[in-house]
Amino acid sequence: MITSVKNERVKAWKKLHNRKERNNTKTFIIEGFHLLEEAWKSDWVIQEIIAEEAVELPNWCQDYEVERVSAPVFEQITQTQTPQGVAAVLEMKEATKRKGNYLLLIDSVQDPGNLGTMIRTADAAGMDGIVLGNGTVDIYNDKVLRSTQGSIFHIPIYHASLLDEVKDLQQNGFKIWATALLNAKKYNEIQIDGKVALILGNEGAGVRQELIDVADEIVTIPIYGKAESLNVSIAAGILMYYLKR
């Protein structure tokens, strides 16, 4: 059992809270029983499980390397306020092929909670995949992972230049919907005919103009009250469920 916070393994685990180190090692760290079980059920590669000395693990964990640590050590690697005493190091996995007829394209969303909620909602709505554009927060950020509630392990996600991706999608029969306020149609007045890729943009700036310019439809969600706007993850949920109705 590891009892020293100066142990090299502990230092390595702590470094995984840094995006640069995650990218260098192609690994990331998760916390909690729910995320761990969802990763296991979804056949993601679990390199090792880290557990406090007194924490009881599910039987299937016996198939993996388990490193026991003291409570003070676990406190050094946790990012949650009420840790459950279990974490794991996983290998990154990115989708390599695009499948299905309904995709969510995310343009420079920077809030971890928003991105995580969008991934979770896309999973719930039955979307076929998610494309992350440049400037979007890292999906392996701790807050993103927690906000997905395990959906990160269920839905294909990959990174791409969205402008290039849009052109490729259009050549493959997709209609591109971009969200904006100007020159936009109400989303529920547009007929869904075939494959659709939906673009949601940055919390403050929205979808970049170069993407709006090449979109097939510019869509908006009407606001009937006095709110100035909708949270981007809420807007994504409304539109994705409309597409999959």
Side-chain angles (χ1 to χ4, degrees):
M1 186 177 68
I2 297 176
T3 58
S4 172
V5 296
K6 296 182 179 180
N7 183 283
E8 291 303 315
R9 299 283 294 282
V10 178
K11 293 178 181 178
W13 294 330
K14 288 176 66 177
K15 286 180 180 179
L16 291 179
H17 294 300
N18 179 279
R19 183 173 188 169
K20 182 178 180 180
E21 184 66 16
R22 291 194 294 268
N23 289 336
N24 286 340
T25 62
K26 301 302 180 185
T27 62
F28 63 103
I29 193 166
I30 60 171
E31 293 182 45
F33 283 100
H34 180 65
L35 284 180
L36 178 59
E37 184 173 3
E38 291 302 311
W40 171 65
K41 287 180 178 177
S42 303
D43 293 325
W44 279 53
V45 177
I46 300 172
Q47 286 192 350
E48 60 183 336
I49 296 170
I50 308 154
E52 276 191 42
E53 52 187 317
V55 169
E56 186 175 346
L57 296 174
N59 290 334
W60 59 262
C61 291
Q62 297 174 6
D63 297 332
Y64 298 91
E65 177 185 348
V66 177
E67 190 67 66
R68 291 286 179 174
V69 301
S70 64
V73 167
F74 197 85
E75 287 178 5
Q76 289 292 309
I77 64 172
T78 186
Q79 295 282 293
T80 55
Q81 292 184 346
T82 55
Q84 297 177 345
V86 64
V89 177
L90 275 61
E91 291 183 9
M92 293 180 178
K93 182 167 71 173
E94 184 158 322
T96 55
K97 294 183 179 180
R98 183 170 61 229
K99 298 180 180 178
N101 297 333
Y102 300 96
L103 300 175
L104 175 64
L105 278 57
I106 299 178
D107 178 29
S108 301
V109 168
Q110 296 176 343
D111 182 85
N114 282 338
L115 179 60
T117 301
M118 292 167 80
I119 293 171
R120 182 180 180 182
T121 308
D123 179 22
M127 298 293 282
D128 297 305
I130 298 173
V131 186
L132 303 178
N134 297 331
T136 297
V137 63
D138 181 19
I139 58 170
Y140 300 112
N141 173 292
D142 181 72
K143 292 181 180 179
V144 174
L145 291 169
R146 289 203 304 272
S147 296
T148 70
Q149 285 291 301
S151 287
I152 189 174
F153 305 123
H154 305 158
I155 186 169
I157 302 174
Y158 61 98
H159 294 77
S161 163
L162 291 190
L163 195 58
D164 292 340
E165 191 70 12
V166 163
K167 293 176 182 177
D168 186 60
L169 287 167
Q170 288 172 324
Q171 291 175 359
N172 284 275
F174 277 80
K175 295 293 185 182
I176 308 299
W177 289 21
T179 54
L181 296 176
L182 297 177
N183 303 315
K185 301 176 184 177
K186 293 180 181 179
Y187 76 94
N188 54 354
E189 295 178 354
I190 301 175
Q191 187 67 31
I192 301 168
D193 182 20
K195 299 184 285 187
V196 178
L198 170 67
I199 311 176
L200 272 294
N202 175 269
E203 290 88 348
V207 176
R208 283 176 293 144
Q209 189 61 47
E210 61 182 354
L211 293 170
I212 294 173
D213 290 342
V214 296
D216 299 292
E217 298 284 1
I218 303 172
V219 301
T220 189
I221 300 171
I223 293 178
Y224 302 109
K226 296 182 179 180
E228 290 185 0
S229 62
L230 285 169
N231 173 277
V232 65
S233 62
I234 298 295
I238 292 170
L239 295 170
M240 288 189 288
Y241 268 91
Y242 178 72
L243 289 178
K244 294 302 300 280
R245 75 194 194 285

